[in-house]
Amino acid sequence: MHTIDDLLRIMATLRNPDGGCPWDVQQDFDTIAPYTIEEAYEVADAIDRRDYSQLCDELGDLLFQVVFHARMAEEAGHFRFADVVEAICTKMVRRHPHVFAGAEVADAQAQTRAWESHKRAEREARGESDNSLLAGISRGMPEWQRARKLQARAATVGFDWPDVAPVFDKLHEEIDEVRAEFAGGDAERLNDEIGDLLFVSVNIARHAKVDVSRALRSANAKFERRFRRMEQLAVDAGGLKGMTLAQQDALWDRAKAEEKSAATEI
């Protein structure tokens, strides 16, 4: 059975300019970062599909990304993999005093507030001067996720809709504004209004406690599944390309009906 030490040795060998892998040797933090993000999404996809064998494999790929970054950092004299482990262990103990230091926390919501308080104290200890409630929300995450975090932080001081009803009103308002900008033809204003519409959509998902990324992955999978079925149904007619939109819509409706029928039978 291999250990983490074996993985660290493999990574060092791959990065060795003398006999290592030319591709691995050429990489740096900037070139590897997109792969790190991709592997995280593949982990989420395996979880969505409840494919635990694939999840094991994808977690390995994600771990390899951590090892890759740590190896490059060690080569540059910044830190080692052991420092990464030490830092996260120390942080987890520090941010969970109710588990490791005898403190008390009422519930999960109280722990979330305490977590943000710990993070704020850590930023102050590092000498960061941004005292905004919104400080520390990474600009490197997907924008939908950053929107949700901005909204959640603001909500901690009461700047939030009391319930979802007015958020739906706001959604309809933003749709009307997008429609107006489509007619107006101003590309920059249209960009702005579509951004507002997406921001409100994230807010609805937050109130519903729905993960936007998971919901969109589900919608993408559903669209892909139904479109592929349409392609199958259109083979005898020479394919979708030669069909009218009405004919294509009929196949789409058929694909939907088949899904519903199959779900009913289960």
Side-chain angles (χ1 to χ4, degrees):
M1 177 72 73
H2 288 101
T3 67
I4 189 65
D5 289 333
D6 294 320
L7 182 58
L8 293 172
R9 282 192 292 271
I10 290 169
M11 185 73 257
T13 302
L14 291 172
R15 286 283 293 179
N16 189 345
D18 184 15
C21 172
W23 186 91
D24 290 280
V25 172
Q26 288 180 356
Q27 304 312 305
D28 57 30
F29 293 113
D30 293 323
T31 61
I32 290 298
Y35 294 101
T36 307
I37 295 169
E38 179 181 341
E39 294 299 348
Y41 277 111
E42 290 183 359
V43 166
D45 177 61
I47 292 171
D48 277 350
R49 293 184 285 104
R50 298 295 186 265
D51 188 337
Y52 297 110
S53 175
Q54 189 67 28
L55 176 59
C56 179
D57 190 62
E58 297 299 348
L59 286 171
D61 290 344
L62 186 57
L63 175 60
F64 185 75
Q65 293 296 308
V66 176
V67 169
F68 207 139
H69 284 287
R71 180 62 197 178
M72 292 187 291
E74 182 175 352
E75 292 168 357
H78 300 313
F79 56 82
R80 301 169 303 148
F81 180 79
D83 298 315
V84 176
V85 175
E86 175 65 20
I88 190 58
C89 288
T90 300
K91 181 188 295 183
M92 289 300 103
V93 171
R94 182 175 65 247
R95 290 186 181 178
H96 293 84
H98 57 293
V99 176
F100 300 105
E104 294 185 3
V105 64
D107 51 31
Q109 289 184 333
Q111 168 55 17
T112 298
R113 291 192 294 271
W115 181 273
E116 293 297 341
S117 178
H118 287 305
K119 290 174 67 175
R120 184 163 55 252
E122 289 166 6
R123 290 194 297 271
E124 292 172 355
R126 291 195 297 267
E128 296 181 14
S129 58
D130 187 353
N131 295 318
S132 171
L133 186 66
L134 305 180
I137 298 178
S138 173
R139 296 182 181 277
M141 65 179 65
E143 293 299 336
W144 69 263
Q145 188 175 5
R146 191 161 190 273
R148 192 184 191 285
K149 284 186 174 290
L150 289 168
Q151 294 166 6
R153 286 278 186 90
T156 62
V157 294
F159 189 68
D160 195 12
W161 303 104
D163 54 58
V164 76
V167 191
F168 280 116
D169 293 337
K170 187 64 175 175
L171 180 66
H172 289 299
E173 176 186 328
E174 296 299 346
I175 290 173
D176 289 340
E177 291 178 359
V178 169
R179 184 180 290 113
E181 293 306 330
F182 255 110
D186 187 319
E188 190 59 34
R189 287 179 62 85
L190 180 60
N191 179 83
D192 189 58
E193 295 300 344
I194 289 178
D196 290 345
L197 176 61
L198 294 172
F199 191 84
V200 174
S201 297
V202 170
N203 214 334
I204 289 176
R206 181 175 63 87
H207 276 269
K209 295 181 173 56
V210 167
D211 183 299
V212 176
S213 181
R214 184 180 180 187
L216 189 54
R217 282 198 302 272
S218 177
N220 286 341
K222 179 166 56 178
F223 178 87
E224 181 178 4
R225 188 171 61 246
R226 291 176 179 175
F227 189 85
R228 286 179 180 272
R229 179 53 180 155
M230 286 172 61
E231 289 178 316
Q232 293 174 348
L233 294 170
V235 168
D236 290 341
L240 292 172
K241 191 172 182 179
M243 289 185 167
T244 65
L245 180 57
Q247 290 172 321
Q248 292 175 347
D249 280 341
L251 293 183
W252 177 266
D253 290 340
R254 180 176 168 185
K256 286 175 59 178
E258 289 178 354
E259 280 195 359
K260 291 179 180 179
S261 177
T264 302
E265 293 172 359
I266 293 176

